[in-house]
């Protein structure tokens, strides 16, 4: 299954592919910038998806740390949390 199809499956939304590809590219860019690398290793594809879903869920709430809706509270953590950073350090390059 293609990554963008997985994205649509996990979000439960049928967003158009151009939009999904843009979100996935943003997530990929976050990983590449953090690691100072130019190519995304295949081991990080699932993390790309996870970050893309976080980006998608934050759309329209970019500055918020949390929000309440319909009696439910949602808290945002960093796009790249500490557990992800620990995994990314294996791929990080220093100039």
């Amino acid at each position: 299954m293609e990554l963008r199809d997985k994205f649509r499956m996990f979000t439960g939304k049928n967003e158009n592919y151009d939009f999904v590809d843009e979100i996935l590219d943003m997530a990929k860019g976050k990983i590449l910038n953090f690691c100072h690398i130019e190519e995304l290793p295949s081991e990080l594809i699932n993390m790309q998806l996870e970050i893309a879903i976080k980006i998608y869920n934050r759309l329209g709430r970019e500055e918020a740390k949390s929000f309440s809706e319909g009696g439910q509270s949602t808290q945002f953590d960093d796009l790249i949390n500490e557990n992800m950073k620990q995994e990314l350090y294996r791929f990080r390059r220093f100039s």
Side-chain angles (χ1 to χ4, degrees), residues 21-31 48 51 55 59:
D21 288 342
E22 189 63 35
I23 298 289
L24 289 168
D25 285 345
M26 290 170 66
K28 181 179 177 181
K30 296 280 185 196
I31 295 170
Q48 178 188 6
I51 293 170
I55 291 170
L59 290 177

Side-chain angles (χ1 to χ4, degrees), residues 37-92:
I37 56 178
E38 294 182 23
E39 296 287 325
L40 188 71
S42 61
E43 298 94 337
L44 297 177
I45 296 295
N46 287 334
M47 187 178 296
Q48 178 188 6
L49 178 61
E50 184 176 348
I51 293 170
I53 292 169
K54 286 183 174 189
I55 291 170
Y56 178 79
N57 288 335
R58 286 188 180 184
L59 290 177
R61 298 180 180 104
E62 287 83 358
E63 298 300 318
K65 293 289 182 191
S66 66
F67 75 98
S68 292
E69 187 176 292
Q72 285 193 312
S73 179
T74 300
Q75 189 113 3
F76 295 127
D77 58 357
D78 293 330
L79 284 177
I80 299 177
N81 63 37
E82 287 304 314
N83 289 337
M84 292 173 163
K85 286 178 183 177
Q86 292 303 315
E87 187 174 342
L88 289 172
Y89 287 138
R90 293 186 0 217
F91 300 93
R92 200 164 194 194

